[in-house]
Amino acid sequence: MHEILVKFQKHRIIPVVAIHEAKDAEPLADALIDGGLPCAEITFRTDAAEEAIRIMAQRSNIQVGAGTVLKVDQVKAAVDAGATFMVSPGFNPKVVEYCVENKILITPGISNPTDIEMALEYNLEVLKFFPAEAFGGLNTLKMMSAPYGMVQFIPTGGINTGNLQEYLKFSKVLAIGGSWMVKSDLISEKNFIEISRLTREAVTIASQV
Ligand code: 3PG
């Protein structure tokens, strides 16, 4: 398995970030590390994403990747900024093909068996199940994943401290993604103490599985 996926398997939670001011990237990285989660998916949902990735990627103590990757140009920009993994909400063959050809780790979003089988064509071993809760949550994932013994998942969308343990107990769940500990308003308010606290709480709950 890819070494970064091994890290996700160890951390079990990927914070999904939408950051509006790149200057918040440094204290955000500190808060995540302090909370025990040295990784971040910085989504291309804001104009500050690329610069925030660049700032975080300069540090050696946090794994930074790009999320909401919709276009090949965003993969190029993210890699240039130092991102080490790509996450997309859906399965875009152009984006996946570019990543696979260039040996860039991508966990594309899937929400049905057809998506999974498209991913299998590219020999992808870990996929994002998105939006997990809206698409039936753990029950759907259990039934949908049954024919595909080799694939593992990162459910994301509607996951929080109340349901993360159920997901993590399922053997095909490598990790879960979520934004609840890094909400944009907490970042904008520079409430990094609360981000650390929520992160630590999430890590503690995940460790009890
Ligand atoms: C994502 O982009 O992956 C989702 O917005 C994360 O979902 P959540 O906000 O429900 O955690």
Side-chain angles (χ1 to χ4, degrees):
M1 191 186 285
H2 192 291
E3 58 177 336
I4 294 173
L5 294 174
V6 173
K7 285 187 186 175
F8 293 162
Q9 194 171 36
K10 180 173 151 250
H11 299 315
R12 306 227 75 190
I13 303 171
I14 303 168
V16 179
V17 178
I19 186 167
H20 291 277
E21 287 193 72
K23 65 176 163 49
D24 292 333
E26 195 78 50
L28 175 62
D30 287 333
L32 288 169
I33 292 163
D34 185 48
L37 265 186
C39 62
E41 174 191 327
I42 308 289
T43 59
F44 276 112
R45 293 186 183 193
T46 67
D47 293 340
E50 190 178 333
E51 188 55 20
I53 290 170
R54 200 174 298 281
I55 290 168
M56 278 201 196
Q58 278 160 9
R59 307 170 59 127
S60 57
N61 55 356
I62 187 160
Q63 196 78 47
V64 61
T68 319
V69 175
L70 308 178
K71 299 276 182 192
V72 169
D73 282 351
Q74 288 175 322
V75 179
K76 292 177 182 170
V79 169
D80 181 65
T84 55
F85 63 92
M86 303 293 132
V87 183
S88 58
F91 192 94
N92 179 334
K94 285 185 186 167
V95 168
V96 170
E97 204 159 302
Y98 180 82
C99 288
V100 171
E101 276 173 6
N102 291 280
K103 299 192 172 17
I104 300 161
L105 175 62
I106 179 156
T107 54
I110 60 88
S111 60
N112 60 56
T114 306
D115 294 345
I116 296 175
E117 288 179 31
M118 290 208 303
L120 289 177
E121 286 293 316
Y122 294 92
N123 297 316
L124 299 180
E125 52 187 356
V126 178
L127 309 172
K128 167 176 175 167
F129 172 38
F130 179 80
E133 281 291 289
F135 271 86
L138 189 57
N139 280 344
T140 297
L141 184 60
K142 281 186 173 167
M143 296 195 79
M144 181 170 71
S145 64
Y148 313 108
M150 64 304 280
V151 185
Q152 285 191 289
F153 298 88
I154 302 177
T156 306
I159 301 182
N160 51 48
T161 51
N163 57 7
L164 74 86
Q165 286 191 333
E166 290 165 43
Y167 279 96
L168 291 178
K169 278 178 193 158
F170 182 39
S171 61
K172 288 184 181 177
V173 169
L174 181 95
I176 57 101
S179 65
W180 79 92
M181 78 299 274
V182 285
K183 284 281 175 220
S184 296
D185 53 352
L186 289 176
I187 300 172
S188 300
E189 290 160 12
K190 312 208 185 300
N191 197 346
F192 298 108
I193 290 174
E194 180 65 358
I195 290 173
S196 270
R197 189 192 71 75
L198 290 168
T199 304
R200 203 170 302 113
E201 177 187 59
V203 169
T204 303
I205 292 171
S207 73
Q208 289 160 356
V209 172

